[in-house]
Amino acid sequence: MIAVLKRSTTQQQLDNFCEWIKSQGVGVHVYTGEYQTVVGLIGDVTKVDADMMAGLDIVESVTRISDPFKSANRKFHPDDSIIDISGKTTVGGDTFAIIAGPCSVESEEQILEVARAVKASGATMLRGGAFKPRTSPYDFQGLRADGIELLLEAKRETGLPIVTEIMNAAHLPLFEDVDVIQVGARNMQNFELLKELGKTKKPILLKRGLANTLKEFLMSAEYIMSGGNENVILCERGVRTFETYTRNTLDLSAVPMLQELTHLPIIVDPSHATGLSRLVRPMALAAAACGADGVMIEVHNNPQAALCDGPQSLTPEQFDEVVKSMHRILDVI
Ligand code: PEP
Ligand code: MN
């Protein structure tokens, strides 16, 4: 349920109104925009008397929201959310985030070389997996804590904020200086992990699950937000379909659909979506064209020798060209 308040409402009246709602055992989410104040009611609102609320002097309208996601709902927060990344960059609104880096951090030389290259090409953040969710236990599992140390070194040298995946809430202390914590597709519905991340204030890059609907995707965001962390960035990375030529099927329509449903920023990962480096460019351009808030692209200094996801990784030179082309698209739209 949301209550839109009249423009004449004073702060005191707003506070009193929120206290009255909370006294009924319901949470509130206040959105103060330039033109209107929206109070969202979160929780079990069945006992709240909507007619009585609508009759209050300060209330302009009351609407019941049937969507199960509340904090993430655009009706609760009509403007786009802009997520601050350690005061260095933002995601959402008018900016176009470009997150780039290798699938996995492999060595000091590798991550520094890639970090320098993607920064020079205009990346706004550096990615790199330290804890890797691999299908086979016999595959490279990531450098784990050492990988995070190497990312921090690359951050110190380049100034780029870093994005890396968490797989276990017990590892959170290692993520203290990580700027954005990634929740991978396989963990999109690891609800206990999401709850723990909801207790932090870190920006969370939440990737869509392998076979999850947008509603389920938004409910996972809701898990994080309902814990008090509203800094959620959504990432469309393709879903599993009957198609086998590509690793996944990129659901680009998710971008405008999610933009209708939620105020959270949505970026696109054309690397995991296609699994093929030659398809990354067209899908990255399509992501820019369809209004995504950014992209996340895998870049490796030597894709043939990559320990993970080499076939979908761009070389720094290819990445440089893709960034330039994306900017041409962004200029047009
Ligand atoms: C990744 O970004 O490295 C990754 C493992 O992606 P996903 O969770 O989308 O498969
Ligand atoms: Mn990867």
Side-chain angles (χ1 to χ4, degrees):
M1 191 185 289
I2 57 167
V4 177
L5 302 189
K6 291 184 182 154
R7 289 189 73 175
S8 55
T9 307
T10 65
Q11 185 63 44
Q12 186 61 54
Q13 286 172 313
L14 172 64
D15 293 344
N16 293 345
F17 182 67
C18 292
E19 283 312 313
W20 175 65
I21 292 167
K22 285 189 212 155
S23 71
Q24 299 175 66
V26 174
V28 290
H29 178 288
V30 179
Y31 163 79
T32 314
E34 209 174 324
Y35 302 106
Q36 58 181 5
T37 298
V38 179
V39 178
L41 280 67
I42 300 169
D44 180 8
V45 294
T46 46
K47 292 190 197 75
V48 176
D49 187 337
D51 292 334
M52 180 174 163
M53 194 186 293
L56 296 175
D57 271 356
I58 59 168
V59 174
E60 195 166 280
S61 64
V62 173
T63 314
R64 282 199 182 271
I65 307 290
S66 53
D67 302 319
F69 49 93
K70 309 292 178 190
S71 299
N73 204 307
R74 191 175 282 279
K75 292 179 185 120
F76 278 52
H77 188 295
D79 290 332
D80 291 345
S81 269
I82 297 174
I83 314 292
D84 174 70
I85 313 293
S86 310
K88 290 187 184 152
T89 186
T90 54
V91 183
D94 292 334
T95 54
F96 189 78
I98 302 179
I99 306 173
C103 180
S104 311
V105 180
E106 298 172 8
S107 67
E108 184 180 35
E109 189 197 359
Q110 175 240 20
I111 193 68
L112 290 179
E113 201 177 315
V114 176
R116 287 181 199 122
V118 298
K119 166 143 189 189
S121 298
T124 55
M125 285 187 248
L126 174 68
R127 66 149 283 147
F131 291 92
K132 291 304 303 175
R134 301 305 299 276
T135 302
S136 167
Y138 307 117
D139 286 340
F140 177 59
Q141 302 288 306
L143 296 181
R144 302 169 69 87
D146 292 342
I148 294 188
E149 278 309 314
L150 293 176
L151 280 169
L152 292 173
E153 190 182 331
K155 168 173 153 172
R156 279 192 294 274
E157 196 191 299
T158 60
L160 287 177
I162 55 173
V163 183
T164 193
E165 178 168 353
I166 194 164
M167 294 207 291
N168 185 338
H171 296 156
L172 260 174
L174 296 170
F175 287 70
E176 192 84 13
D177 298 319
V178 167
D179 302 279
V180 178
I181 302 180
Q182 177 174 322
V183 175
R186 289 153 192 82
N187 273 313
M188 189 203 89
Q189 287 189 314
N190 181 340
F191 301 120
E192 291 300 320
L193 176 62
L194 301 179
K195 282 184 208 168
E196 288 304 316
L197 296 173
K199 294 179 194 161
T200 75
K201 287 285 167 225
K202 290 268 185 209
I204 308 296
L205 177 66
L206 178 66
K207 299 189 85 174
R208 184 178 181 180
L210 304 176
N212 286 109
T213 63
L214 297 183
K215 193 181 272 179
E216 288 164 342
F217 194 11
L218 289 171
M219 289 314 289
S220 289
E222 194 75 17
Y223 261 95
I224 301 167
M225 299 176 86
S226 63
N229 184 359
E230 307 225 319
N231 301 310
V232 180
I233 302 159
L234 303 172
C235 179
E236 165 60 43
R237 44 79 72 208
V239 288
R240 189 163 277 188
T241 65
F242 44 80
E243 184 50 65
T244 54
Y245 280 114
T246 48
R247 184 174 180 182
N248 290 291
T249 296
L250 180 55
D251 178 10
L252 272 186
S253 63
V255 174
M257 190 71 248
L258 284 168
Q259 282 169 344
E260 264 179 48
L261 296 169
T262 182
H263 52 90
L264 297 173
I266 164 99
I267 68 165
V268 170
D269 171 351
S271 308
H272 292 89
T274 61
L276 297 166
S277 61
R278 66 182 186 280
L279 299 191
V280 169
R281 180 181 191 273
M283 292 300 97
L285 300 193
C290 77
D293 294 296
V295 288
M296 178 154 82
I297 297 180
E298 285 188 344
V299 179
H300 197 286
N301 52 341
N302 184 4
Q304 284 92 339
L307 295 181
C308 183
D309 287 349
Q312 69 192 34
S313 299
L314 299 187
T315 62
E317 296 71 31
Q318 290 168 329
F319 173 71
D320 189 71
E321 192 281 325
V322 171
V323 173
K324 291 195 174 93
S325 299
M326 282 190 299
H327 280 300
R328 284 203 294 276
I329 299 271
L330 292 168
D331 287 346
V332 177
I333 61 158

